[in-house]
Amino acid sequence: MTDTVVRLVGVTQQYGQGGTAVSALSGVDLEVSRGELVAVMGASGSGKSTLLSIAGGLATPTTGEVIIEGEYLSEQSPSQLARLRRRSLGFVFQDFNLIPTLTALENVTLPLELDGFRSRVARRAGKDALASVSLADKLDAYPDDLSGGQQQRVAIARAVVGGRRLILADEPTGALDSATGELVLRMLRSRVDAGAAGILVTHEPRHAAFADRILFLRDGRIVDETARDGADSLLRGAGR
Ligand code: ADP
Ligand code: MG
């Protein structure tokens, strides 16, 4: 039994055909294990969001394979894929994507309810997840009543509720001030330390420093990969 949660093998993504085709990803190999947070950096248009969507089965690559906990996504039926996404994966986006008419707790328990968990079980898991992001006192608050940082912590709770094992975060701090952004990253880091695997897309070197490894994408290719120690000195070299 390996600790690998997600593996991408030779993943290529092409949009469009012929002369106007765009190669969003070319030959990407990546493996992320339990307890590991990988940051993905790169210029706008370098393929970061495409990589995340493919790793989470939201998009199917043109070629290559994605394997989540030993399951080849290419071999799953649409309903199996939907169930795998609901049970194993959590997404966090820049704009939170909370449902405004549901309370914090209802937002967090929604994926479990959709998956057929009994209400009482879902509520208990939802409360635990919100407590883990220090929002135990905001269960009944609506998104509009919460600050941006609190909303993003609800989104993180939703991403990890019920023991989701792969957290995919696409510039989750993009809409937050820097102190709040760091708090959200600390939460993400602690969920990964508790046994999840994480992929974090970020522009901020300071935030990438929360990761164990940093990948740099350019024109859809991984051009550099740095372990945290190396990344720290690299970032210091960049004048941090
Ligand atoms: P990033 O998140 O690093 O900014 P993206 O993954 O969003 O990069 O995009 C990578 C490349 O693929 C860009 O050139 C972008 O224009 C292109 N692209 C992304 N999504 C689509 C799409 N649905 N149709 C066509 N081209 C796309
Ligand atoms: Mg993007």
Side-chain angles (χ1 to χ4, degrees):
M1 195 58 197
T2 131
D3 273 352
T4 302
V5 176
V6 63
R7 195 147 76 88
L8 275 65
V9 183
V11 163
T12 295
Q13 181 69 310
Q14 194 159 325
Y15 293 113
Q17 301 275 327
T20 59
V22 174
S23 264
L25 291 177
S26 305
V28 168
D29 297 311
L30 173 63
E31 206 171 309
V32 189
S33 302
R34 278 168 57 85
E36 190 178 35
L37 180 62
V38 173
V40 178
M41 301 190 80
S44 177
S46 58
K48 304 181 299 294
S49 294
T50 301
L51 174 64
L52 219 61
S53 310
I54 288 175
L58 294 178
T60 306
T62 308
T63 66
E65 286 288 351
V66 179
I67 303 124
I68 295 180
E69 300 191 305
E71 307 274 7
Y72 281 71
L73 297 194
S74 60
E75 293 170 0
Q76 312 291 309
S77 70
S79 67
Q80 286 174 318
L81 195 57
R83 195 174 55 210
L84 181 85
R85 273 202 307 262
R86 277 200 311 269
R87 292 197 175 162
S88 302
L89 310 190
F91 289 89
V92 184
F93 299 98
Q94 178 167 341
D95 54 4
F96 320 143
N97 276 335
L98 299 177
I99 297 174
T101 53
L102 298 183
T103 65
L105 182 59
E106 288 165 347
N107 266 282
V108 172
T109 57
L110 185 63
L112 300 179
E113 308 251 9
L114 290 175
D115 214 19
F117 278 75
R118 289 218 313 278
S119 228
R120 203 160 48 85
V121 176
R123 282 179 64 85
R124 193 180 315 124
K127 285 180 185 174
D128 286 349
L130 282 164
S132 78
V133 296
S134 307
L135 286 178
D137 57 340
K138 297 289 184 192
L139 304 181
D140 298 323
Y142 287 89
D144 280 351
D145 303 326
L146 299 171
S147 69
Q150 289 170 332
Q151 290 183 55
Q152 195 59 305
R153 281 149 61 193
V154 174
I156 289 185
R158 183 186 52 190
V160 301
V161 72
R164 282 170 171 57
R165 294 171 297 271
L166 176 59
I167 309 171
L168 302 166
D170 197 349
E171 304 192 32
T173 62
L176 305 175
D177 65 62
S178 65
T180 313
E182 289 219 12
L183 182 65
V184 163
L185 282 169
R186 230 171 267 133
M187 302 284 174
L188 182 60
R189 179 74 244 181
S190 79
R191 298 308 300 177
V192 169
D193 288 340
I199 306 179
L200 163 72
V201 170
T202 181
H203 282 304
E204 289 276 344
R206 240 177 324 127
H207 293 169
F210 280 83
D212 301 295
R213 279 190 288 145
I214 305 178
L215 302 182
F216 295 89
L217 275 183
R218 193 199 296 149
D219 297 335
R221 290 176 193 280
I222 297 176
V223 292
D224 197 7
E225 191 163 345
T226 325
R228 178 150 57 175
D229 294 349
D232 280 347
S233 55
L234 188 92
L235 297 172
R236 272 196 300 278
R240 186 165 67 119

mmCIF file of all heavy atoms in Angstrom, residues 46-68:
data_model
loop_
_atom_site.group_PDB
_atom_site.id
_atom_site.type_symbol
_atom_site.label_atom_id
_atom_site.label_comp_id
_atom_site.label_asym_id
_atom_site.label_seq_id
_atom_site.Cartn_x
_atom_site.Cartn_y
_atom_site.Cartn_z
ATOM 1 N N SER A 46 0.059 29.599 -17.941
ATOM 2 C CA SER A 46 1.056 28.527 -18.024
ATOM 3 C C SER A 46 0.455 27.143 -17.818
ATOM 4 O O SER A 46 1.146 26.140 -17.978
ATOM 5 C CB SER A 46 2.183 28.773 -17.015
ATOM 6 O OG SER A 46 1.669 28.852 -15.698
ATOM 7 N N GLY A 47 -0.836 27.074 -17.430
ATOM 8 C CA GLY A 47 -1.485 25.767 -17.332
ATOM 9 C C GLY A 47 -1.833 25.328 -15.918
ATOM 10 O O GLY A 47 -2.268 24.190 -15.709
ATOM 11 N N LYS A 48 -1.704 26.222 -14.946
ATOM 12 C CA LYS A 48 -1.903 25.840 -13.544
ATOM 13 C C LYS A 48 -3.333 25.357 -13.274
ATOM 14 O O LYS A 48 -3.529 24.302 -12.661
ATOM 15 C CB LYS A 48 -1.572 27.034 -12.619
ATOM 16 C CG LYS A 48 -0.171 27.597 -12.817
ATOM 17 C CD LYS A 48 0.127 28.756 -11.868
ATOM 18 C CE LYS A 48 -0.791 29.963 -12.018
ATOM 19 N NZ LYS A 48 -0.655 30.665 -13.322
ATOM 20 N N SER A 49 -4.313 26.149 -13.721
ATOM 21 C CA SER A 49 -5.706 25.759 -13.452
ATOM 22 C C SER A 49 -6.082 24.499 -14.222
ATOM 23 O O SER A 49 -6.837 23.653 -13.717
ATOM 24 C CB SER A 49 -6.661 26.898 -13.828
ATOM 25 O OG SER A 49 -6.456 28.001 -12.970
ATOM 26 N N THR A 50 -5.554 24.369 -15.428
ATOM 27 C CA THR A 50 -5.808 23.154 -16.207
ATOM 28 C C THR A 50 -5.271 21.933 -15.462
ATOM 29 O O THR A 50 -5.948 20.909 -15.354
ATOM 30 C CB THR A 50 -5.143 23.280 -17.597
ATOM 31 O OG1 THR A 50 -5.681 24.426 -18.259
ATOM 32 C CG2 THR A 50 -5.379 22.044 -18.437
ATOM 33 N N LEU A 51 -4.065 22.063 -14.920
ATOM 34 C CA LEU A 51 -3.461 20.969 -14.167
ATOM 35 C C LEU A 51 -4.348 20.561 -12.987
ATOM 36 O O LEU A 51 -4.597 19.372 -12.746
ATOM 37 C CB LEU A 51 -2.071 21.396 -13.668
ATOM 38 C CG LEU A 51 -1.334 20.435 -12.745
ATOM 39 C CD1 LEU A 51 -1.017 19.138 -13.468
ATOM 40 C CD2 LEU A 51 -0.048 21.052 -12.222
ATOM 41 N N LEU A 52 -4.860 21.559 -12.274
ATOM 42 C CA LEU A 52 -5.688 21.278 -11.102
ATOM 43 C C LEU A 52 -7.012 20.601 -11.512
ATOM 44 O O LEU A 52 -7.448 19.643 -10.868
ATOM 45 C CB LEU A 52 -5.962 22.585 -10.366
ATOM 46 C CG LEU A 52 -5.954 22.511 -8.860
ATOM 47 C CD1 LEU A 52 -4.592 22.062 -8.362
ATOM 48 C CD2 LEU A 52 -6.307 23.853 -8.259
ATOM 49 N N SER A 53 -7.645 21.105 -12.572
ATOM 50 C CA SER A 53 -8.911 20.507 -13.018
ATOM 51 C C SER A 53 -8.711 19.059 -13.435
ATOM 52 O O SER A 53 -9.569 18.205 -13.165
ATOM 53 C CB SER A 53 -9.484 21.228 -14.236
ATOM 54 O OG SER A 53 -9.520 22.587 -14.026
ATOM 55 N N ILE A 54 -7.597 18.789 -14.087
ATOM 56 C CA ILE A 54 -7.344 17.419 -14.536
ATOM 57 C C ILE A 54 -7.028 16.526 -13.339
ATOM 58 O O ILE A 54 -7.528 15.405 -13.245
ATOM 59 C CB ILE A 54 -6.219 17.411 -15.591
ATOM 60 C CG1 ILE A 54 -6.761 18.016 -16.893
ATOM 61 C CG2 ILE A 54 -5.669 16.011 -15.806
ATOM 62 C CD1 ILE A 54 -5.736 18.174 -17.989
ATOM 63 N N ALA A 55 -6.236 17.043 -12.391
ATOM 64 C CA ALA A 55 -5.890 16.239 -11.210
ATOM 65 C C ALA A 55 -7.145 15.887 -10.417
ATOM 66 O O ALA A 55 -7.198 14.861 -9.745
ATOM 67 C CB ALA A 55 -4.888 16.990 -10.332
ATOM 68 N N GLY A 56 -8.172 16.746 -10.498
ATOM 69 C CA GLY A 56 -9.407 16.500 -9.754
ATOM 70 C C GLY A 56 -10.508 15.888 -10.592
ATOM 71 O O GLY A 56 -11.649 15.784 -10.133
ATOM 72 N N GLY A 57 -10.198 15.492 -11.810
ATOM 73 C CA GLY A 57 -11.200 14.825 -12.638
ATOM 74 C C GLY A 57 -12.314 15.740 -13.118
ATOM 75 O O GLY A 57 -13.361 15.268 -13.552
ATOM 76 N N LEU A 58 -12.097 17.059 -13.036
ATOM 77 C CA LEU A 58 -13.097 17.992 -13.575
ATOM 78 C C LEU A 58 -12.948 18.110 -15.084
ATOM 79 O O LEU A 58 -13.870 18.531 -15.775
ATOM 80 C CB LEU A 58 -12.946 19.383 -12.956
ATOM 81 C CG LEU A 58 -13.239 19.515 -11.469
ATOM 82 C CD1 LEU A 58 -12.995 20.942 -11.003
ATOM 83 C CD2 LEU A 58 -14.666 19.090 -11.157
ATOM 84 N N ALA A 59 -11.754 17.781 -15.581
ATOM 85 C CA ALA A 59 -11.521 17.777 -17.027
ATOM 86 C C ALA A 59 -10.758 16.499 -17.363
ATOM 87 O O ALA A 59 -10.015 15.976 -16.536
ATOM 88 C CB ALA A 59 -10.710 18.999 -17.433
ATOM 89 N N THR A 60 -10.980 16.003 -18.563
ATOM 90 C CA THR A 60 -10.304 14.788 -19.018
ATOM 91 C C THR A 60 -9.123 15.193 -19.894
ATOM 92 O O THR A 60 -9.298 15.984 -20.816
ATOM 93 C CB THR A 60 -11.274 13.943 -19.861
ATOM 94 O OG1 THR A 60 -12.452 13.736 -19.095
ATOM 95 C CG2 THR A 60 -10.668 12.609 -20.227
ATOM 96 N N PRO A 61 -7.927 14.687 -19.616
ATOM 97 C CA PRO A 61 -6.780 15.098 -20.434
ATOM 98 C C PRO A 61 -6.867 14.540 -21.855
ATOM 99 O O PRO A 61 -7.506 13.510 -22.081
ATOM 100 C CB PRO A 61 -5.583 14.496 -19.686
ATOM 101 C CG PRO A 61 -6.134 13.355 -18.908
ATOM 102 C CD PRO A 61 -7.551 13.727 -18.571
ATOM 103 N N THR A 62 -6.235 15.243 -22.787
ATOM 104 C CA THR A 62 -6.190 14.765 -24.169
ATOM 105 C C THR A 62 -5.436 13.432 -24.231
ATOM 106 O O THR A 62 -5.888 12.494 -24.885
ATOM 107 C CB THR A 62 -5.495 15.814 -25.066
ATOM 108 O OG1 THR A 62 -6.127 17.085 -24.850
ATOM 109 C CG2 THR A 62 -5.613 15.442 -26.537
ATOM 110 N N THR A 63 -4.291 13.350 -23.563
ATOM 111 C CA THR A 63 -3.596 12.069 -23.412
ATOM 112 C C THR A 63 -3.070 11.989 -21.982
ATOM 113 O O THR A 63 -2.974 12.996 -21.282
ATOM 114 C CB THR A 63 -2.387 11.929 -24.372
ATOM 115 O OG1 THR A 63 -1.402 12.895 -23.986
ATOM 116 C CG2 THR A 63 -2.782 12.150 -25.821
ATOM 117 N N GLY A 64 -2.691 10.762 -21.588
ATOM 118 C CA GLY A 64 -2.134 10.571 -20.255
ATOM 119 C C GLY A 64 -3.181 10.034 -19.292
ATOM 120 O O GLY A 64 -4.358 9.909 -19.638
ATOM 121 N N GLU A 65 -2.720 9.718 -18.105
ATOM 122 C CA GLU A 65 -3.588 9.081 -17.114
ATOM 123 C C GLU A 65 -3.549 9.844 -15.798
ATOM 124 O O GLU A 65 -2.516 10.390 -15.414
ATOM 125 C CB GLU A 65 -3.108 7.655 -16.825
ATOM 126 C CG GLU A 65 -3.412 6.655 -17.939
ATOM 127 C CD GLU A 65 -4.890 6.287 -18.039
ATOM 128 O OE1 GLU A 65 -5.666 6.680 -17.136
ATOM 129 O OE2 GLU A 65 -5.257 5.619 -19.021
ATOM 130 N N VAL A 66 -4.692 9.856 -15.126
ATOM 131 C CA VAL A 66 -4.761 10.368 -13.757
ATOM 132 C C VAL A 66 -5.232 9.206 -12.889
ATOM 133 O O VAL A 66 -6.236 8.558 -13.201
ATOM 134 C CB VAL A 66 -5.755 11.539 -13.642
ATOM 135 C CG1 VAL A 66 -5.817 12.040 -12.204
ATOM 136 C CG2 VAL A 66 -5.374 12.661 -14.591
ATOM 137 N N ILE A 67 -4.485 8.960 -11.830
ATOM 138 C CA ILE A 67 -4.812 7.840 -10.938
ATOM 139 C C ILE A 67 -4.993 8.408 -9.537
ATOM 140 O O ILE A 67 -4.085 9.034 -8.990
ATOM 141 C CB ILE A 67 -3.674 6.791 -10.941
ATOM 142 C CG1 ILE A 67 -3.438 6.311 -12.378
ATOM 143 C CG2 ILE A 67 -4.023 5.607 -10.044
ATOM 144 C CD1 ILE A 67 -2.041 6.473 -12.874
ATOM 145 N N ILE A 68 -6.198 8.247 -8.994
ATOM 146 C CA ILE A 68 -6.467 8.733 -7.646
ATOM 147 C C ILE A 68 -6.696 7.533 -6.744
ATOM 148 O O ILE A 68 -7.600 6.731 -6.982
ATOM 149 C CB ILE A 68 -7.678 9.687 -7.619
ATOM 150 C CG1 ILE A 68 -7.346 10.957 -8.417
ATOM 151 C CG2 ILE A 68 -8.047 10.048 -6.175
ATOM 152 C CD1 ILE A 68 -8.457 11.973 -8.465
#
